Amino acid sequence: MIIRFLQRHREASVALIIVFLFAILGLVDRSYLSFDTVLLVYGNSLILFVLAIGATMVMATHGLDVSVGSIMGLAAVVAGLLMNAGWGIPASIGVALLVGLLCGLFNGALVAWLKVSAIVATLGTLGLYRGFVHLLSGGSWIEGLPEGFKALTKAGSLGLSPVAWLVLVLLIVAHLGLRYTAFGRSMFAVGDNREGARLIGIRVNEVQIVAYGLNGLLSALAGVIFASQIGFIPNTAGTGMEMRAISSSVLGGVSLLGGTGTVLGAALGAYFMTSIDSILVLLRLEAYWNDIIAGAILLVVLITDGKIREAVDRHLRYQKYRKFIDPQAAGQHADAAKAAGRTVKTVLETSEARK
Amino acid sequence: MKLHPALKRWESVLALLLIAEILLFGAINPVFLQPATLLYATSDFIHVGITALALTLVIITGGIDLSLGSVMGLSAITLGILWVGGVDIWVAAVAALAVGTLAGVFNAVAIHLSKVNPLVITLGTGFLYGGAALVLSGLAGATGYEGISNFDPAFVNLTNLEIVGLPLPFALFVVLTIAFMALLHRTRFGRYVYLIGQNPRAAAYAGTPVFRTLVVAYALTSLMAALSGLILASYFGSARSDFGTTALMPAITAVVLGGTSIYGGSGTILGTALAALLVGYLQTGLQLVGVSSHVSSALSGGLLVIVVALRSLSEMGRVWFQHRRVLRNVAAE
């Protein structure tokens, strides 16, 4: 029971921290404790939500993509240039998403076909795609985006903008898709045990490439949302976002070693990362406290999680080998360390005695 | 065709690439070939090389340090804050290096205690140190583009000094390269670093002092990052909290391009040093030829992708040929 819960405690722990943050906020000023604050933070975390979905997919396959920030910037610049060249808004966004998809597929091809380590391959493409951003934009900001494009992130029905609704749908679809469809499960299978996945007939390389491709597509979407929210496109758009996206997913319990994690957890992690920023603003603390608080909480969560996981492992090992420990010790304070410390001789003796 | 074994080494390939690169840029723009240009150009990128030298140790142990960029900023800001507070500049510099070293020790302790992947831990500590640097500069009211300046002239002139005809940062890089080569390839500690990277579990069972080795490796990396922060502060004459933000990726690039395996267990200091020069001169050379710095960053990214892809392709090819040879021999029997 407890172990069952502990395996899922990551989402729970992040959710608790978020509640705790809001509680602090409520102590300062009752009027902040409203659904509006929740919506405000949600609106601010759209970009990170989208990136976290992609990061979850890639990390599920035991990969890592640090080029998402550059893909974001590239997609934003492509969309902006096309719109300013007189293209329609849907067509421009479509091309931008396609560019993102291609970038992602290229990352995937490097990792799956050429067997380049994920962090190295995406480090390279981080520089490469960022260079494309500067090439296309000529190093200048892109301004004068059409009003219709900016309206995509303006609050509409029920206080949510059209894009916010889209992201909500995406979160639900991605969460269910990764948990309950054969393809979603195959990503986790590849990340957990690549060779095993291959042997049960999963097309390992293709699954990896699709994961990176979807991640590229989602990063492009994040870039489009970013451009729509701030209304112009600086050529540094998206820099440093990869670290925030990875941190969010890790906070939410997605393992870098592949094979575990949920979109829900990653989304909670992203929500937490943003709520720190928003809440500091509401508490009228200077913005420069953001990173140190985020870093401290991230570390505390990581280290306690590592400790808990170790304890769970120890307990499981103890359950497994309990039958080799003599009955008296099992009655006393018996822990796995003790079990491991027993000599082979005593184990043999007890098994003899049992016969 | 039999190749001399020395030519088969990755470092020789890098050295040839470096020479080819310099000659190519020299052919386009003769200014590039003047010794003064070649030497003084290094001041722009050598801090990345200095950090990459120590990062090589960490990557060989199978770890990685994503916090080094933040440590650069933190050390520069520590120096600035103390200087503004009226501390002697040299005392402040030593304190900044000490802060850097402590950051590295903290990294290693956190990694060892939590048994969590170093990538994640140093991501967290990177936020922490970067945040600390921001808070310090914020409290000092120096969050702007200016940062903290008006340092002691003696300190600012440091990077303009020459030692045996070499600019000081580059001379430092050469000395440190030799020191790290000795440390990694000629000492027991260096052997431990390789052992841990090859197989951490076996290393632990063999009685290798894993924790101590990790602490030294991470502390050295942070110390070198702090030193780079000071070099930058002296070079620009001001200290800003965001000094290292652009240094992290090139440093990892230099290490990987230098032939160190990202999974740990193999790599050389010489390779890292050559790769750092290769990437650095690529940036400088392209600027001299008239290509914008943005395109050059794209090219160094592209270079990394191409080189690594080629290396893994050649590895695949080698394995395939071996298989064929074995199969042929079996068929012949």
Side-chain angles (χ1 to χ4, degrees):
Chain A
M1 263 311 285
I2 291 176
I3 291 178
R4 242 329 193 359
F5 177 75
L6 283 181
Q7 279 173 334
R8 303 171 173 222
H9 80 286
R10 277 301 277 273
E11 288 97 329
S13 64
V14 181
L16 276 176
I17 295 174
I18 293 175
V19 171
F20 178 68
L21 273 179
F22 275 93
I24 292 178
L25 201 60
L27 287 176
V28 175
D29 190 342
R30 217 21 95 68
S31 66
Y32 286 142
L33 281 186
S34 66
F35 195 61
D36 283 347
T37 314
V38 177
L39 279 186
L40 171 86
V41 177
Y42 175 77
N44 290 343
S45 46
L46 293 180
I47 295 172
L48 214 45
F49 275 146
V50 176
L51 289 177
I53 296 173
T56 306
M57 288 183 195
V58 169
M59 280 154 76
T61 64
H62 195 172
L64 190 73
D65 190 344
V66 293
S67 69
V68 290
S70 298
I71 298 179
M72 249 182 90
L74 188 57
V77 166
V78 167
L81 285 174
L82 289 178
M83 272 182 280
N84 286 353
W87 283 48
I89 293 171
S92 314
I93 293 178
V95 174
L97 295 183
L98 187 69
V99 167
L101 178 68
L102 289 175
C103 289
L105 290 175
F106 181 66
N107 285 341
L110 282 173
V111 174
W113 287 338
L114 291 180
K115 303 273 178 289
V116 179
S117 120
I119 185 170
V120 177
T122 51
L123 253 180
T125 53
L126 176 141
L128 194 66
Y129 301 154
R130 180 62 58 189
F132 289 155
V133 171
H134 291 297
L135 269 181
L136 286 177
S137 66
S140 55
W141 290 17
I142 298 172
E143 285 164 336
L145 298 176
E147 284 305 315
F149 179 65
K150 293 179 196 169
L152 290 175
T153 45
K154 292 275 185 299
S157 47
L158 296 182
L160 286 179
S161 63
V163 169
W165 285 109
L166 172 78
V167 172
L168 194 63
V169 172
L170 261 183
L171 280 173
I172 294 166
V173 168
H175 182 75
L176 297 179
L178 279 187
R179 277 193 80 144
Y180 300 112
T181 65
F183 181 73
R185 300 317 299 162
S186 69
M187 285 189 193
F188 288 94
V190 170
D192 191 43
N193 181 344
R194 197 183 151 102
E195 192 53 19
R198 199 182 62 81
L199 290 174
I200 59 168
I202 293 171
R203 298 173 63 178
V204 182
N205 285 351
E206 283 78 357
V207 168
Q208 267 186 309
I209 291 176
V210 169
Y212 281 93
L214 287 173
N215 183 36
L217 184 70
L218 288 163
S219 311
L221 179 63
V224 171
I225 296 173
F226 174 82
S228 164
Q229 275 182 341
I230 66 167
F232 64 94
I233 302 161
N235 54 19
T236 53
T239 35
M241 284 310 283
E242 59 277 350
M243 293 301 167
R244 292 194 100 76
I246 295 168
S247 309
S248 310
S249 310
V250 168
L251 261 175
V254 182
S255 165
L256 272 164
L257 302 173
T260 50
T262 59
V263 170
L264 177 68
L268 281 172
Y271 192 86
F272 162 78
M273 287 291 254
T274 321
S275 52
I276 286 187
D277 295 3
S278 310
I279 283 168
L280 286 180
V281 172
L282 291 176
L283 289 178
R284 294 187 189 79
L285 264 176
E286 293 286 352
Y288 50 73
W289 289 95
N290 284 3
D291 284 6
I292 196 168
I293 293 173
I297 292 178
L298 184 67
L299 277 176
V300 169
V301 169
L302 287 174
I303 291 174
T304 41
D305 181 65
K307 283 278 162 227
I308 288 172
R309 206 171 289 188
E310 230 180 335
V312 169
D313 276 353
R314 257 213 307 275
H315 182 75
L316 286 175
R317 249 208 322 271
Y318 168 67
Q319 291 292 358
K320 207 163 153 187
Y321 295 112
R322 196 169 59 172
K323 55 177 176 287
F324 297 120
I325 305 166
D326 49 8
Q328 285 106 13
Q332 295 159 7
H333 166 70
D335 60 353
K338 214 165 177 178
R342 306 218 147 248
T343 59
V344 176
K345 196 167 150 234
T346 54
V347 171
L348 285 175
E349 275 169 4
T350 49
S351 57
E352 283 295 306
R354 214 168 269 148
K355 279 175 192 163
Chain B
M1 186 178 112
K2 272 269 183 272
L3 276 173
H4 192 273
L7 282 177
K8 274 194 174 172
R9 298 202 47 156
W10 179 242
E11 288 85 350
S12 331
V13 178
L14 282 174
L16 289 175
L17 277 175
L18 184 61
I19 293 166
E21 179 184 78
I22 290 173
L23 289 178
L24 181 73
F25 285 129
I28 303 173
N29 188 348
V31 175
F32 193 76
L33 282 178
Q34 289 168 1
T37 317
L38 282 177
L39 281 179
Y40 278 93
T42 56
S43 296
D44 283 331
F45 60 78
I46 210 69
H47 61 278
V48 171
I50 288 175
T51 315
L53 289 176
L55 183 64
T56 310
L57 300 185
V58 165
I59 293 186
I60 290 176
T61 65
I64 195 161
D65 187 349
L66 298 181
S67 68
L68 56 90
S70 306
V71 172
M72 279 186 201
L74 183 60
S75 103
I77 281 294
T78 307
L79 177 90
I81 294 274
L82 290 175
W83 169 246
V84 170
V87 180
D88 178 71
I89 194 79
W90 307 117
V91 178
V94 172
L97 292 179
V99 166
T101 314
L102 278 179
V105 173
F106 182 74
N107 281 342
V109 169
I111 290 165
H112 194 77
L113 273 185
S114 65
K115 299 277 183 290
V116 178
N117 190 324
L119 192 80
V120 191
I121 290 286
T122 53
L123 189 75
T125 57
F127 268 112
L128 196 67
Y129 305 151
L134 272 176
V135 169
L136 282 177
S137 63
L139 294 178
T143 43
Y145 186 73
E146 289 294 313
I148 300 170
S149 50
N150 300 328
F151 286 124
D152 192 329
F155 177 74
V156 178
N157 281 329
L158 259 191
T159 34
N160 302 331
L161 290 180
E162 284 197 6
I163 297 180
V164 227
L166 301 174
L168 184 99
F170 185 67
L172 206 57
F173 174 71
V174 173
V175 170
L176 284 170
T177 304
I178 294 165
F180 272 105
M181 276 168 95
L183 181 70
L184 182 62
H185 304 304
R186 290 279 176 274
T187 66
R188 188 180 299 185
F189 163 81
R191 285 285 111 197
Y192 287 156
V193 168
Y194 280 108
L195 272 175
I196 292 168
Q198 286 285 355
N199 189 336
R201 198 169 284 181
Y205 283 134
T208 311
V210 176
F211 179 51
R212 235 186 320 158
T213 311
L214 284 186
V215 167
V216 174
Y218 281 91
L220 278 174
T221 304
S222 281
L223 175 64
M224 288 302 132
L227 181 65
S228 301
L230 295 186
I231 290 174
L232 286 175
S234 160
Y235 187 60
F236 292 121
S238 74
R240 299 216 321 262
S241 56
D242 61 350
F243 260 170
T245 42
T246 52
L248 173 64
M249 296 301 171
I252 298 175
T253 303
V255 177
V256 172
L257 198 60
T260 300
S261 161
I262 198 84
Y263 304 114
S266 70
T268 60
I269 296 287
L270 184 63
T272 302
L274 288 170
L277 290 176
L278 189 75
V279 175
Y281 275 130
L282 183 69
Q283 301 264 7
T284 322
L286 286 170
Q287 276 165 24
L288 268 178
V289 172
V291 180
S292 75
S293 62
H294 310 308
V295 180
S296 61
S297 79
L299 279 173
S300 42
L303 181 80
L304 177 69
V305 171
I306 291 165
V307 168
V308 177
L310 282 179
R311 282 193 71 182
S312 68
L313 270 178
S314 75
E315 182 61 23
M316 282 181 197
R318 209 177 53 83
V319 170
W320 186 75
F321 272 114
Q322 264 182 342
H323 274 247
R324 264 193 36 171
R325 214 175 32 236
V326 171
L327 288 174
R328 259 214 309 271
N329 291 347
V330 171
E333 284 167 17

